[in-house]
Amino acid sequence: GDGNGFKLGGNGMPCDHILVRCIAFGNRVKGFWGNGNGGTMTVTNCTGFDNKGGGNFRFDKGTHIFTNNLSYLSPDTDYHYGTDVEFTNVWWKSSGVSVNGKGLAVDASDFVSLTPTISRNPDGSINLGNFLKLAPSSDLIDAGIPNGVDIGAVESH
């Protein structure tokens, strides 16, 4: 492909998509990209980490709905046109920090590991090990909505 993780364009036509608990990391370009889609993307509990160009999340038009998403480490700022539900999303900012509208800031200490160690379970499902797992002391645990939901793709309990 062209180096993007989740490329959600509608080829010039509005097309709705739903993403839940998805992870985009280490892509050459963007992690999650609306690709000019004017439809509605509902993006919930997704994590973008260390995507190399254009940000972890880039949605530049449409009526998107973002809830409990986590963006950490990228050379580019996230752009998220749409509704930031109850400010539960933690976006990567140009100042080199991840923060949400409530002031919740994120750094490397919020994770058990930022090193990908991915394998397959016997049933074929993906095993992330401790990669992007929230550290027990992380303020992201139970900080999402509804109450008791973590921010990001990997639920701690």
Side-chain angles (χ1 to χ4, degrees):
D2 61 2
N4 290 290
F6 290 83
K7 188 173 179 181
L8 304 168
N11 198 25
M13 296 181 61
C15 180
D16 301 342
H17 296 287
I18 298 171
L19 296 175
V20 179
R21 294 208 183 274
C22 298
I23 297 173
F25 70 95
N27 290 289
R28 188 171 44 88
V29 192
K30 300 166 205 71
F32 297 91
W33 185 28
N35 195 27
N37 187 340
T40 299
M41 283 3 130
T42 303
V43 184
T44 306
N45 282 97
C46 292
T47 297
F49 170 69
D50 197 26
N51 294 285
K52 306 300 184 199
N56 291 319
F57 290 83
R58 178 138 187 116
F59 293 84
D60 50 5
K61 69 178 187 177
T63 55
H64 313 308
I65 303 166
F66 303 99
T67 310
N68 302 335
N69 296 296
L70 171 59
S71 178
Y72 184 66
L73 198 62
S74 175
D76 296 306
T77 301
D78 292 325
Y79 187 78
H80 45 88
Y81 185 85
T83 302
D84 184 345
V85 177
E86 294 188 34
F87 301 108
T88 58
N89 301 284
V90 179
W91 304 116
W92 184 252
K93 306 291 184 181
S94 60
S95 56
V97 298
S98 288
V99 66
N100 72 3
K102 297 176 183 177
L104 180 63
V106 178
D107 62 33
S109 69
D110 283 290
F111 303 93
V112 174
S113 174
L114 292 173
T115 302
T117 54
I118 300 167
S119 62
R120 293 271 181 185
N121 293 317
D123 67 359
S125 62
I126 295 173
N127 183 334
L128 297 173
N130 285 325
F131 179 54
L132 297 175
K133 183 177 181 182
L134 298 177
S137 61
S138 176
D139 293 336
L140 298 173
I141 295 174
D142 297 338
I145 59 169
N147 284 341
V149 174
D150 296 347
I151 293 177
V154 182
E155 187 66 27
S156 63
H157 41 82

